[in-house]
Amino acid sequence: MLHRDPRTYRLNDFGRLAVTHAASVVGDALLTVSLAGSIFFTQDIAKSRTQVLLYLLLTIAPFAVVAPVIGPALDRSRAGRRTLMAIGLFLRAIVCFLMARYLNTLALYPLAFAALVLAKGHAVAKAALVPAVVRDEHALVDANSRLALLGAIASVAGGAPGAAIIAVAGAPWSLRLAAVVFALGG
């Protein structure tokens, strides 16, 4: 049974996690919208098979990189998960800033890979932090549900303005805004 009683959360801790998660999702939405109009998707379909394959590899590879490295590092430190989230958000801000500069070059691919690895690291840290911000295990499902709903709202809140910014000023400005959002989240 779901507990909807707000006293089941450690409100300050859950609130900070929720804000950080929302910032991450808004930044990811801005990043995704920016990449949608980049060299990943603007080429002729017949010529872009290798880019699509590379993009698919880039989306799968972070799982192989993040899991064996991040898990043990998180377990060694008491504040490791929070530190990982903060450092990851700051690094994603730097990566987005660099992506804005190198959007139409081959440097975009390793930067996109770095962004994906950092996003997976954030997801791992968030999943590990949720049990720490609820008072009992019965509130865990409710907390995850609230974060999922917040994530859906935040993705729209980031994607729509990102698309408008791209239409008016171009993808580099949407990436710069993502960098600002990630830095604020950090």
Side-chain angles (χ1 to χ4, degrees):
M1 179 170 187
L2 293 177
H3 292 277
R4 302 253 182 228
D5 185 0
R7 292 173 291 173
T8 60
Y9 299 108
R10 296 181 188 141
L11 291 178
N12 290 335
D13 294 338
F14 183 77
R16 286 192 304 254
L17 176 61
V19 168
T20 303
H21 176 62
S24 175
V25 173
V26 168
D28 283 339
L30 289 165
L31 174 63
T32 301
V33 168
S34 299
L35 290 179
S38 72
I39 62 173
F40 280 122
F41 300 106
T42 57
Q43 297 178 359
D44 180 29
I45 293 175
K47 295 179 182 177
S48 65
R49 291 186 195 278
T50 56
Q51 279 82 10
V52 170
L53 179 61
L54 182 59
Y55 180 74
L56 291 173
L57 287 174
L58 285 175
T59 59
I60 295 169
F63 289 107
V65 173
V66 169
V69 175
I70 301 276
L74 290 176
D75 293 337
R76 288 188 199 124
S77 173
R78 185 177 185 281
R81 293 167 184 90
R82 289 179 296 183
T83 303
L84 175 68
M85 288 182 83
I87 290 171
L89 285 165
F90 288 130
L91 288 175
R92 286 160 76 189
I94 292 168
V95 167
C96 283
F97 181 75
L98 291 171
M99 288 173 88
R101 183 173 180 178
Y102 299 110
L103 188 62
N104 294 316
T105 69
L106 289 178
L108 178 64
Y109 291 100
L111 290 170
F113 179 75
L116 287 169
V117 168
L118 292 167
K120 296 304 176 202
H122 176 86
V124 168
K126 179 190 70 79
L129 273 173
V130 173
V133 299
V134 294
R135 294 199 188 278
D136 58 42
E137 64 184 44
H138 298 290
L140 190 57
V141 172
D142 191 43
N144 279 317
S145 298
R146 289 173 188 252
L147 288 174
L149 178 61
L150 178 64
I153 293 167
S155 65
V156 172
I165 290 169
I166 290 170
V168 173
W173 286 102
S174 179
L175 285 167
R176 289 180 186 110
L177 179 59
V180 170
V181 170
F182 285 135
L184 291 174

